[in-house]
Amino acid sequence: MYEAVIGLEVHVQLSTASKIFSGSSTAFGAEPNTQASLVDLGMPGVLPVPNARAFEMAVKFGLAIDAEIGKESVFDRKNYFYPDLPKGYQISQFEKPIVGPGRVTITLDDGTTKTINVTRAHLEEDAGKSVHDAFDGMTGVDLNRAGTPLLEIVSEPELRSAKEAVAYLKVIHSIIRYLDISDGNMAQGSMRCDCNVSIRPKGSEVLGTRTEIKNVNSFRFVEKAINTEIHRQTEILEDGGRVIQETRLYDPDKDETRSMRSKEEANDYRYFPDPDLLPVMIDDSFIEACRNTLPELPEARQARYIKDYGITDYDAGVLVADRDVADYFSEVADTSGEGKLAANWVMGSVLAELNQTGSVIADFPVSARQLADLISRIKDNTLNSKTAKTVFEALLVGEGEVNAIIEAKGLVQMTDTGAIEAIVDEVIQENPDQVANYRSAPSDKQGKMLGFFVGQVMKKSQGKANPQAVNQILNSKLGS
Amino acid sequence: MSLTSDDVKRVAKLARLGLTQTETNETLTQLNSILGLVDQMQQTETDGVAPLAHPLELTQTLRADQVTETNHREKYQSAAPHAEAGLYLVPRVVE
Amino acid sequence: MSQITDLTLAQLKQALGDGDLSSVEITTAFLDRIDSLNPELNAFITISHEDACKAAADADAARAKGKAPAFAGLPMAHKDLFCTDGTRTTCGSKMLADFVAPYDAHVVSRCQQAGLISLGKLNMDEFAMGSSNENSFFGAVKNPWDLSRVPGGSSGGSAAAVAARMTPLATATDTGGSIRQPAALTGTSGLKPTYGRVSRFGMIAFASSLDQGGLIAHTAEDIALGLGLIAGHDPRDSTSADQAVPDYTATLNDSLKGKIIGLPAQFFDERLDPAMRRSMDDVLDVFRSLGATTVDVSLDHIAEAIPAYYVIAPAEASSNLSRFDGVRFGYRADNPKDLTDLYERSRGEGFGSEVKRRILIGTYALSEGYYDAYYKKAQQIRRLIKQDFEQALSQCDLLFGPTTPSTAFVIGEKTADPVAMYLEDIYTVATNMAGLPGGSFQAPLIDGLPSGYQLTGPAFGEGAILNAAHQIQTATDWHTLRPEGL
């Protein structure tokens, strides 16, 4: 039996307004090379000047994972040639990163937790983008992205399965979203993941030869890529072969990893301290200032939700995983004053809808206030669970505000006892046999038999009758 | 330390410098004589001496996160040997 | 009255201010001299006739209205590695033979703001790598004192142009001696300021932790005037020092009485050429006559400066020059068959042999397995050298020695032996390693050729260096000697 040993290198684009070493905008989606300044282009004679905000963000991340902050951090040059790397070197941090050893806690499927050590996190500049298909026999280079600040977060090889890797990645994602230091959008490349994977016989302390799967861009692909790679390596070892240390690329269409020949040439990055930059000294006051702006982090928020809203540990965990979802939930809960009901609706209906459509809460058509309105109308007995669903579906397709929908669809719950009594009387008259049976049955059986009459009344009221009132009236009328 | 012709080729490859055979041969002799000079360093005792990267040992000033650049693509690309549709063009890169 | 082109910057400034000369007269006089001498000397790569003449007319007009900045209409020229918006910047290389920078270097804008007019761009060793100006894609520069000899390098064009009176002031850069050595070989004054004193923004990099922009002129006074313009903090250069810029002209006339001149033993050992020693002794006699005293000091690690320098400078250069890849600017090989071919041929064809040698040495020194033995070792030696200077400067005000081992050598004499060429900088590189200011000024001629003495001061001690040199220049006429026959 083999055991997988996995470490992740997560690249997070920091959401600064300007680039890490120049005053160019980092905005996504501009025309090619319109956000590439002299510095980003690596023009002869230009020099980098680091962005303070990138350091603030990195330090906040460090504090959030309980890491040592590099009081003196140094930029190094990583030298290699590639068209999307204008200077022929990437400015990164090698020996003295801004964030030293730290740790995060992941929750496994069985509910147990595991601490994963983070080796380091360092600042570096992103490369540009290559455009392959627009020109005959040529590749186009767009340097708008070149110089976007990246925080590269390196984990210890302590992950033992693809599921653990994804759980770790989700925690990192959750933290950067809470800190609001990145939009964390994997599809757009704001968060990218390199997976280092090796396997070894269970119980062995020796590490096997690892491969690096580059640039995996979704949680799902991370899981699939790692599983595929574990499978591939297992087959190699079982056939008596040897795993080659190399860089591989995951192809989601074929669900396989393949060797990246272009990166195979012996890499010798010739790291050395960038002589254009001086050591960055981070003093205690800088760190304290960062600490003071730290938001409540997922773990703390989970504890607070359990206490404030009276919801379960599990529910709170699900709700806080995504900061935007958590904010949405707390707005619904606070506005409606119904924590449990809010949790049920957000988890049961909102998250289900998001999962199904693959969208995010920021784009969700039902606002927190609308959902709170809906819950308030359940609470005041205007809606029951069935009609509430109908209103929610109407909200999803944008049919207007809660009260207007209730009005338009005539969904106001029938709470008028006179009207309900009339329906109950009708039902009793139309079903003499069932009435007789009910009345002759022993009282412990009657509860179950009452369901039939409730159903009939609800049907006649087109679902609008207040179920509690129906029960009460039926009980008194059938009892006589 | 003395370099071989293969060393020169390896280093030239790393530096993406095309050298003709004549250049490689000439360079080999010259590089070895330069390395002979450089190797005089090894006589100096430097145990425990902290490397000095910058003469004045100042510390870095950070800039405020502000967008100060505007688009000058046309001007910047006028220096480019081959640009089209706003992109710098290179022979096709296979990944 | 002497010719316009014989005047120093200070004299020209005075004449302009007094209305004795117009900027058009001055500029035309220098352009005419450039036109007549450059075919022989090859000091200029680009001559900006039109721009300079227009700027001169504008300056005269502004002066007539009383709206001219202090240096309006005074001519100068830039070493061709300072980027100039609209005028090509070649760095002496085929790689940038047609490169027109889309921006101005900090030094260039500062000069422009002060009203100085650029006469053109000055020849140099390719990417500032060389000590003879023979490594230029645009051809060797000749020493105005003897056309068969080199003017020194890498700022050979700057030094030759000033020596030949083609410009009263030239910008230059110094990574291991590239201002001081050519100044010494051409009978001019040259100052390499403290590392960080002058912004490197827009100065095409050779070795970032050693490069420093400075000036070459006839006198210390002219350098004091020019340095006041180009020195100072620039937020675009992280290594630029945030230090107030003093008025360097204000201290020029301070007395040298009681000043202590340190004589490093290593500069005056048995290897020093006897003629050069006599020349240095002549200068020291003047210092003493002005009330200064001397003290023997030691720079124990000076011998390791050259070996360590030839690791650090090429290592940084190998990385700095990676951006010349034929993609965004500069030379690109014809019909590259693939990406590797594009890189290897563009760089192989675009760079000259000395540049390639240094890229190879630097790449090797940084490559896996060699970093500690080379780069780290060199940085450790660098600290020892810096400590030596601190120790020596704690005993004196300025250090004194010859700038070069000998006077200008014959063109071609050292081209086959790079190590012999590197040893040209034996007295100058240590200053760069320590980041200190150093100036070279005119000493007596030796067999009809200029020699230079070097003053090294503490960090930001440019004022003291210029003061001392100015006092010597006030007491002697070595700086007024000019090459005959031009």
Side-chain angles (χ1 to χ4, degrees):
Chain A
M1 263 314 275
Y2 291 102
E3 169 186 64
V5 177
I6 302 157
L8 298 188
E9 289 167 20
V10 184
H11 293 84
V12 173
Q13 275 186 351
L14 299 177
S15 51
T16 52
S18 65
K19 293 187 180 176
I20 185 165
F21 296 119
S22 82
S24 300
S25 167
T26 56
F28 184 82
E31 283 294 302
N33 290 309
T34 55
Q35 287 172 183
S37 69
L38 295 169
V39 171
D40 309 320
L41 293 170
M43 277 281 170
V46 298
L47 298 164
V49 185
N51 185 335
R53 188 102 179 93
F55 276 87
E56 285 167 29
M57 290 176 164
V59 168
K60 279 191 190 179
F61 178 79
L63 294 172
I65 62 160
D66 196 21
E68 288 170 26
I69 303 300
K71 296 274 177 76
E72 179 186 356
S73 64
V74 173
F75 283 109
D76 297 280
R77 292 184 182 178
K78 179 181 181 179
N79 295 280
Y80 65 96
F81 287 86
Y82 208 68
D84 64 11
L85 188 71
K87 301 184 293 300
Y89 58 84
Q90 178 193 31
I91 306 178
S92 182
Q93 298 182 317
F94 185 54
E95 273 193 25
K96 295 183 174 173
I98 179 67
V99 177
R103 61 205 57 80
V104 299
T105 304
I106 62 171
T107 305
L108 306 178
D109 277 353
D110 61 6
T112 58
T113 59
K114 178 174 174 181
T115 297
I116 303 298
N117 287 292
V118 173
T119 316
R120 57 184 285 160
H122 63 258
L123 285 167
E124 61 184 26
E125 55 181 344
D126 207 345
K129 272 183 181 163
S130 298
V131 180
H132 293 296
D133 37 11
F135 302 90
D136 188 31
M138 305 290 277
T139 291
V141 182
D142 173 10
L143 296 170
N144 281 348
R145 197 180 69 175
T148 300
L150 290 179
L151 186 66
E152 178 174 340
I153 304 155
V154 183
S155 83
E156 288 290 314
E158 295 175 345
L159 302 159
R160 291 290 172 266
S161 69
K163 279 211 177 324
E164 285 188 19
V166 172
Y168 167 80
L169 196 58
K170 284 188 168 164
V171 170
I172 296 292
H173 186 263
S174 174
I175 292 171
I176 61 164
R177 289 298 307 131
Y178 268 74
L179 296 173
D180 201 16
I181 59 173
S182 172
D183 67 22
N185 186 330
M186 290 190 81
Q188 265 180 21
S190 327
M191 179 163 148
R192 312 192 285 271
C193 183
D194 297 343
C195 313
N196 289 299
V197 180
S198 67
I199 59 169
R200 64 183 176 194
K202 246 201 162 86
S204 166
E205 289 294 309
V206 188
L207 290 171
T209 307
R210 68 182 171 86
T211 57
E212 182 179 12
I213 315 167
K214 278 264 178 219
N215 272 339
V216 192
N217 66 358
S218 81
F219 294 115
R220 203 159 57 89
F221 291 163
V222 165
E223 182 164 351
K224 293 180 80 172
I226 291 173
N227 278 331
T228 304
E229 182 60 16
I230 292 171
H231 183 70
R232 188 187 72 88
Q233 292 187 13
T234 308
E235 281 194 335
I236 290 174
L237 294 192
E238 280 175 351
D239 291 348
R242 274 179 43 209
V243 174
I244 303 163
Q245 182 166 346
E246 61 181 352
T247 304
R248 299 182 69 83
L249 201 64
Y250 177 67
D251 181 342
D253 294 333
K254 295 180 184 161
D255 190 26
E256 62 178 29
T257 67
R258 60 181 154 80
S259 184
M260 278 176 88
R261 281 166 184 273
S262 60
K263 301 256 173 183
E264 241 176 83
E265 279 174 28
N267 278 326
D268 183 344
Y269 292 125
R270 290 158 284 138
Y271 281 101
F272 76 108
D274 189 333
D276 286 333
L277 293 160
L278 302 167
V280 179
M281 307 306 284
I282 299 291
D283 60 18
D284 290 337
S285 67
F286 187 98
I287 296 174
E288 284 320 302
C290 290
R291 199 191 300 280
N292 291 336
T293 59
L294 278 187
E296 184 185 38
L297 291 166
E299 271 184 69
R301 195 181 278 208
Q302 184 177 1
R304 181 166 65 83
Y305 280 7
I306 295 167
K307 185 168 156 280
D308 289 1
Y309 300 121
I311 59 178
T312 66
D313 197 355
Y314 176 82
D315 287 0
V318 171
L319 289 168
V320 302
D322 180 327
R323 180 182 181 168
D324 295 335
V325 170
D327 287 344
Y328 182 94
F329 159 73
S330 56
E331 193 183 336
V332 175
D334 293 342
T335 312
S336 66
E338 286 291 304
K340 275 188 186 167
L341 214 45
N344 290 343
W345 274 90
V346 172
M347 290 171 67
S349 303
V350 179
L351 291 182
E353 183 67 21
L354 290 179
N355 277 339
Q356 209 180 338
T357 55
S359 87
V360 292
I361 193 95
D363 304 329
F364 195 63
V366 183
S367 71
R369 189 193 44 76
Q370 287 175 323
L371 184 57
D373 284 351
L374 176 65
I375 289 170
S376 304
R377 304 314 304 267
I378 295 169
K379 205 171 71 179
D380 71 10
N381 287 329
T382 308
L383 296 173
N384 58 39
S385 60
K386 188 159 181 284
T387 48
K389 266 269 181 278
T390 311
V391 174
F392 185 75
E393 272 151 24
L395 287 170
L396 275 180
V397 292
E399 286 182 17
E401 294 298 324
V402 171
N403 287 341
I405 293 169
I406 292 171
E407 191 86 6
K409 293 193 181 292
L411 295 175
V412 182
Q413 188 164 247
M414 200 179 284
T415 46
D416 174 356
T417 3
I420 297 174
E421 266 181 42
I423 296 174
V424 168
D425 287 342
E426 255 178 66
V427 170
I428 288 174
Q429 270 180 16
E430 284 166 14
N431 298 283
D433 294 348
Q434 281 84 348
V435 172
N437 283 345
Y438 177 89
R439 285 182 171 148
S440 60
S443 62
D444 60 327
K445 295 266 167 66
Q446 280 182 336
K448 211 173 169 189
M449 296 171 80
L450 191 68
F452 166 78
F453 299 102
V454 174
Q456 292 298 311
V457 174
M458 293 308 282
K459 202 170 163 185
K460 276 193 180 291
S461 74
Q462 291 166 313
K464 286 187 281 187
N466 179 330
Q468 278 169 303
V470 173
N471 267 300
Q472 209 181 354
I473 295 167
L474 271 172
N475 264 325
S476 74
K477 297 229 177 210
L478 288 172
S480 60
Chain B
M1 255 176 278
S2 185
L3 294 179
T4 63
S5 173
D6 280 348
D7 290 330
V8 174
K9 283 180 190 153
R10 177 181 62 84
V11 174
K13 181 94 201 152
L14 211 47
R16 300 294 187 275
L17 272 184
L19 298 180
T20 61
Q21 192 55 51
T22 327
E23 278 181 308
T24 308
N25 297 341
E26 262 178 30
T27 305
L28 180 61
T29 323
Q30 286 164 338
L31 291 188
N32 275 324
S33 111
I34 297 168
L35 281 180
L37 171 76
V38 161
D39 278 337
Q40 290 173 17
M41 279 195 318
Q42 306 306 337
Q43 296 157 14
T44 308
E45 181 56 60
T46 54
D47 279 0
V49 178
L52 179 66
H54 274 100
L56 298 185
E57 299 191 84
L58 302 172
T59 59
Q60 181 67 47
T61 318
L62 303 174
R63 57 162 241 283
D65 180 26
Q66 274 162 5
V67 176
T68 52
E69 295 289 342
T70 49
N71 175 25
H72 296 288
R73 183 173 77 184
E74 204 174 320
K75 184 171 187 185
Y76 296 169
Q77 287 195 339
S78 65
H82 195 171
E84 257 178 61
L87 295 161
Y88 295 96
L89 295 194
V90 297
R92 182 178 286 282
V93 178
V94 196
E95 291 212 323
Chain C
M1 182 180 152
S2 52
Q3 282 190 38
I4 291 174
T5 51
D6 280 339
L7 301 175
T8 65
L9 186 73
Q11 289 164 338
L12 290 166
K13 186 164 181 277
Q14 182 75 42
L16 253 182
D18 293 348
D20 294 341
L21 288 173
S22 71
S23 177
V24 169
E25 284 172 291
I26 294 170
T27 307
T28 311
F30 279 102
L31 285 171
D32 286 350
R33 190 162 170 88
I34 294 168
D35 287 339
S36 80
L37 294 181
N38 202 53
E40 227 169 352
L41 295 174
N42 200 26
F44 280 81
I45 291 174
T46 303
I47 305 165
S48 305
H49 293 99
E50 259 178 58
D51 289 347
C53 288
K54 186 181 177 304
D58 290 349
D60 283 336
R63 200 173 281 275
K65 286 185 197 149
K67 279 188 189 163
F71 288 77
L74 288 165
M76 69 169 312
H78 291 292
K79 184 175 181 178
D80 208 13
L81 54 56
F82 287 98
C83 287
T84 44
D85 194 347
T87 303
R88 73 176 172 158
T89 300
T90 69
C91 230
S93 182
K94 179 181 178 184
M95 183 60 86
L96 293 178
D98 301 312
F99 175 65
V100 179
Y103 75 107
D104 279 327
H106 180 79
V107 163
V108 171
S109 344
R110 283 289 189 91
C111 290
Q112 241 165 30
Q113 284 156 15
L116 286 161
I117 293 172
S118 172
L119 299 170
K121 305 294 290 287
L122 295 161
N123 206 338
M124 55 183 283
D125 279 305
E126 183 180 6
F127 283 96
M129 298 178 190
S131 306
S132 67
N133 217 124
E134 292 165 288
N135 300 334
S136 169
F137 176 67
F138 298 90
V141 177
K142 312 286 168 53
N143 190 323
W145 292 80
D146 178 346
L147 300 182
S148 70
R149 291 179 190 271
V150 305
S154 66
S155 310
S158 304
V162 172
R165 273 64 183 169
M166 297 155 99
T167 178
L169 180 74
T171 55
T173 60
D174 190 317
T175 305
S178 284
I179 289 176
R180 291 159 291 159
Q181 185 253 14
L185 301 192
T186 58
T188 52
S189 295
L191 180 79
K192 177 204 98 71
T194 310
Y195 182 81
R197 178 74 289 184
V198 174
S199 168
R200 294 185 296 115
F201 186 84
M203 213 174 92
I204 298 177
F206 161 13
S208 310
S209 76
L210 299 160
D211 292 346
Q212 182 60 203
L215 298 164
I216 292 178
H218 296 299
T219 64
E221 183 187 20
D222 285 359
I223 291 177
L225 287 170
L227 185 61
L229 303 179
I230 63 171
H233 184 242
D234 175 10
R236 296 172 298 182
D237 174 2
S238 297
T239 62
S240 136
D242 198 358
Q243 281 260 344
V245 180
D247 178 357
Y248 296 108
T249 60
T251 46
L252 288 174
N253 291 311
D254 287 0
S255 165
L256 295 187
K257 212 160 265 155
K259 296 283 184 215
I260 305 169
I261 306 294
L263 307 176
Q266 293 77 5
F267 287 1
F268 294 96
D269 63 14
E270 69 289 350
R271 286 170 296 183
L272 181 60
D273 174 68
M276 188 62 79
R277 180 185 296 270
R278 280 194 297 278
S279 170
M280 293 303 108
D281 284 342
D282 288 351
V283 181
L284 282 174
D285 285 344
V286 182
F287 267 117
R288 291 189 187 103
S289 74
L290 293 170
T293 56
T294 59
V295 61
D296 290 334
V297 296
S298 180
L299 297 170
D300 291 344
H301 297 92
I302 202 97
E304 289 99 280
I306 288 258
Y309 173 85
Y310 277 97
V311 170
I312 294 172
E316 293 183 6
S318 72
S319 177
N320 282 335
L321 270 58
S322 291
R323 69 188 62 200
F324 301 100
D325 58 5
V327 178
R328 295 162 317 286
F329 42 76
Y331 178 78
R332 177 179 179 121
D334 288 334
N335 305 314
K337 66 178 196 313
D338 57 25
L339 185 64
T340 305
D341 190 45
L342 167 73
Y343 286 150
E344 293 186 346
R345 280 202 294 125
S346 299
R347 292 166 59 77
E349 294 164 14
F351 290 136
S353 44
E354 180 61 23
V355 172
K356 284 192 258 190
R357 264 196 293 280
R358 297 206 195 183
I359 290 175
L360 291 170
I361 283 286
T363 304
Y364 177 70
L366 291 173
S367 66
E368 209 172 331
Y370 298 100
Y371 181 87
D372 282 2
Y374 288 116
Y375 194 75
K376 187 175 165 212
K377 182 86 180 177
Q379 299 276 46
Q380 289 173 311
I381 290 175
R382 187 171 191 180
R383 182 173 298 278
L384 296 176
I385 291 168
K386 186 183 180 217
Q387 288 168 351
D388 282 355
F389 273 104
E390 283 165 355
Q391 169 70 20
L393 282 164
S394 70
Q395 301 164 60
C396 60
D397 296 298
L398 293 170
L399 297 171
F400 173 92
T403 309
T404 58
S406 61
T407 55
F409 50 93
V410 172
I411 292 173
E413 190 181 323
K414 299 187 180 183
T415 41
D417 182 358
V419 169
M421 187 73 86
Y422 296 173
L423 293 174
E424 260 303 295
D425 295 331
I426 192 151
Y427 298 127
T428 50
V429 293
T431 313
N432 299 77
M433 298 284 269
L436 299 176
S440 176
F441 305 94
Q442 300 89 335
L445 298 184
I446 299 173
D447 297 332
L449 289 173
S451 72
Y453 67 90
Q454 177 178 208
L455 293 172
T456 306
F460 304 104
E462 289 83 1
I465 293 173
L466 294 170
N467 165 224
H470 180 69
Q471 289 304 301
I472 300 285
Q473 289 177 344
T474 307
T476 64
D477 64 357
W478 299 320
H479 65 289
T480 64
L481 301 177
R482 43 176 298 190
E484 283 171 30
L486 288 178

